[in-house]
């Protein structure tokens, strides 16, 4: 079995590559190293189990060659994180739209099953108690750059799903909710690596807004297990799956927990949204996934709680 992982040198992609190699499988990593890091996969490359292709998913010839040689595709490459998208909106749109179209087109050409990673961002402003896969998106204005990530990933989902419906390509769409773990960088806004970084320097932890907004965090090892199980399940194609935990925590409580678990002398600084993000930024008050569909099909249950998640990031940043 040989898997192509687009974005395989990134945070989640490199953990996925490791998991597949641990099962004795072969992996081709495609990454342009824009946000991914060579170091994330260097130990795997030394062992010869993984082939590394430096390049973009926008390069149709390269994607063609790699998909042709793969038995399945995990499409993870994307411009991720609202902060990055706000800073580089055109480049992000190109990657997430045209790049994904390239990958799906080649997957169709070679009839290669493909798992696509989407995001809880596509639910937009829907803050229902729990978000089910069939729930509606509640859309922000397309004129606000902040929502362009949500728009692009939703179109990617539509493309993947349409290749299934119209052409019979075996595509699985996954929506990831706040995945966290070692190697994740805080450069593009992700809150836990940022808080841990601040805590380890005894700097104030910057809580945006009043800190009452909540999120459910899932360790990358649990997410990777779900992705592999879904890629292998014969009933998964043609379906969308939320992937995440339902363990909800406020960002203010998270900050306190990070300070405690990293033995830090940091304080908490509340930063008004206008200072933290572009003007008019709308944060989501909560985002809780309904994961019944994933649980029923694969038996999924997260194994690492928030304490364990924070500890793993602290250990990673200390090393
Ligand atoms: N956040 C924060 N301080 C930071 C970075 C993020 O308070 O330094 C908040 C952010 O406003 C959001 C939550 O933490 O309410 C999660 O942000 P992240 O970017 O990690 O994920 P997302 O908003 O995409 O769920």
């Amino acid at each position: 079995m040989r898997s192509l992982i687009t974005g395989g040198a990134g945070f989640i992609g490199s953990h996925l590559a490791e998991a597949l190699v641990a099962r004795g499988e072969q992996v081709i990593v495609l990454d342009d190293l824009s946000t991914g890091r060579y170091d994330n996969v260097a130990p795997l490359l030394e062992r010869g189990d993984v082939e590394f292709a430096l390049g973009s998913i926008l390069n149709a010839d390269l994607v063609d060659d790699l998909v042709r040689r793969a038995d399945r595709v995990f499409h993870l490459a994307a411009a991720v994180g609202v902060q990055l998208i706000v800073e580089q909106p055109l480049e992000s749109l190109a990657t997430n739209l045209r790049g994904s179209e390239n990958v799906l087109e080649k997957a169709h050409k070679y009839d290669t099953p493909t798992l696509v990673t989407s995001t809880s961002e596509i639910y937009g402003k829907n803050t229902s108690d729990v978000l089910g896969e069939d729930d509606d998106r509640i859309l922000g204005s397309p004129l606000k750059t902040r929502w362009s990530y949500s728009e692009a990933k939703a179109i990617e989902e539509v493309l993947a799903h349409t290749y299934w419906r119209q052409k019979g390509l075996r595509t699985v769409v996954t929506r990831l909710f706040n995945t966290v773990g070692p190697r994740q960088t805080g450069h593009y806004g992700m809150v836990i690596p940022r808080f841990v970084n601040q805590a380890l320097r005894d700097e104030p932890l910057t809580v945006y807004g009043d800190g009452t907004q909540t999120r459910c965090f899932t360790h990358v090892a649990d997410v990777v297990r779900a992705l592999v199980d879904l890629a292998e399940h014969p009933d998964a194609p043609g379906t969308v799956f939320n992937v995440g935990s339902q363990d909800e925590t406020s960002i203010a409580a998270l900050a306190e927990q990070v300070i405690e678990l990293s033995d830090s002398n940091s304080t908490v600084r509340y930063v008004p949204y206008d200072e933290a993000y572009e003007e008019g930024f709308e944060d989501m008050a909560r985002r809780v996934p309904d994961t019944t569909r994933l649980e029923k099909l694969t038996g999924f249950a997260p194994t690492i709680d928030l304490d364990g998640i924070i500890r793993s990031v602290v250990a990673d940043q200390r090393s």
Side-chain angles (χ1 to χ4, degrees):
M1 173 64 74
R2 184 188 286 135
S3 297
L4 168 64
I5 308 177
T6 71
F11 156 56
I12 302 175
S14 63
H15 284 276
L16 175 60
E18 258 173 27
L20 295 175
V21 166
R23 295 154 54 111
E25 297 180 16
Q26 293 183 351
V27 174
I28 306 172
V29 165
L30 169 64
D31 207 298
D32 66 359
L33 300 183
S34 55
T35 56
R37 294 179 57 236
Y38 186 77
D39 286 353
N40 287 346
V41 285
L44 291 175
L45 298 178
E46 277 160 24
R47 296 208 325 242
D49 308 310
V50 176
E51 177 185 335
F52 181 71
L54 175 63
S56 166
I57 51 173
L58 291 166
N59 181 339
D61 291 341
L62 178 61
V63 172
D64 188 297
D65 179 54
L66 300 179
V67 173
R68 183 179 53 77
R69 294 168 44 221
D71 301 305
R72 64 181 175 198
V73 177
F74 291 90
H75 176 42
L76 276 67
V80 287
V82 171
Q83 192 172 315
L84 176 71
I85 274 69
V86 167
E87 283 166 13
Q88 304 177 3
L90 280 177
E91 295 81 352
S92 303
L93 279 171
T95 303
N96 293 346
L97 290 173
R98 292 213 310 275
S100 296
E101 194 175 12
N102 259 339
V103 171
L104 285 161
E105 193 190 318
K106 301 309 176 192
H108 173 236
K109 179 175 173 187
Y110 297 108
D111 194 24
T112 310
T114 298
L115 180 140
V116 166
T117 46
S118 182
T119 164
S120 58
E121 270 284 312
I122 68 97
Y123 290 105
K125 302 208 253 185
N126 189 333
T127 51
S128 307
D129 286 352
V130 286
L131 294 162
E133 288 91 345
D134 297 329
D135 287 354
D136 287 329
R137 310 180 62 207
I138 297 183
L139 302 175
S141 164
L143 300 182
K144 286 184 181 155
T145 317
R146 184 246 181 284
W147 294 113
S148 70
Y149 180 53
S150 176
E151 304 297 5
K153 294 300 282 188
I155 291 173
E156 180 182 336
E157 285 196 15
V158 174
L159 256 181
H161 197 66
T162 307
Y163 265 108
W164 154 262
R165 227 181 22 224
Q166 196 178 326
K167 305 281 189 187
L169 177 67
R170 284 158 292 168
T171 58
V172 179
V173 175
T174 57
R175 291 182 186 148
L176 310 191
F177 283 65
N178 296 87
T179 305
V180 188
R183 296 184 208 136
Q184 186 176 33
T185 160
H187 292 147
Y188 311 108
M190 282 52 174
V191 66
I192 291 189
R194 286 172 75 94
F195 279 1
V196 168
N197 186 271
Q198 291 164 332
L200 293 182
R201 294 162 188 262
D202 287 331
E203 292 169 2
L205 271 59
T206 51
V207 171
Y208 301 160
D210 65 7
T212 57
Q213 72 272 32
T214 66
R215 292 293 186 276
C216 300
F217 298 97
T218 313
H219 193 276
V220 64
D222 286 322
V223 170
V224 160
R225 214 180 48 254
L227 298 184
V228 174
D229 285 352
L230 287 173
E232 294 189 337
H233 202 293
D235 296 334
T239 314
V240 177
F241 296 89
N242 286 337
V243 177
S245 99
Q246 295 192 306
D247 185 10
E248 191 176 7
T249 184
S250 76
I251 299 304
L254 173 72
E256 297 298 341
Q257 202 170 342
V258 167
I259 289 171
E260 192 189 317
L261 294 177
S262 49
D263 292 322
S264 168
N265 296 316
S266 290
T267 53
V268 174
R269 184 161 74 85
Y270 287 86
V271 181
Y273 281 121
D274 282 358
E275 280 176 37
Y277 295 103
E278 64 166 359
E279 208 177 307
F281 179 83
E282 297 165 277
D283 197 15
M284 297 311 310
R286 67 188 311 209
R287 247 187 217 142
V288 185
D290 179 347
T291 49
T292 313
R293 191 178 285 174
L294 175 65
E295 285 158 27
K296 279 198 176 139
L297 199 75
T298 68
F300 176 80
T303 59
I304 304 173
D305 66 8
L306 186 56
D307 248 46
I309 291 172
I310 294 170
R311 284 181 204 281
S312 76
V313 177
V314 170
D316 180 52
Q317 290 198 16
R318 277 201 172 125
S319 67

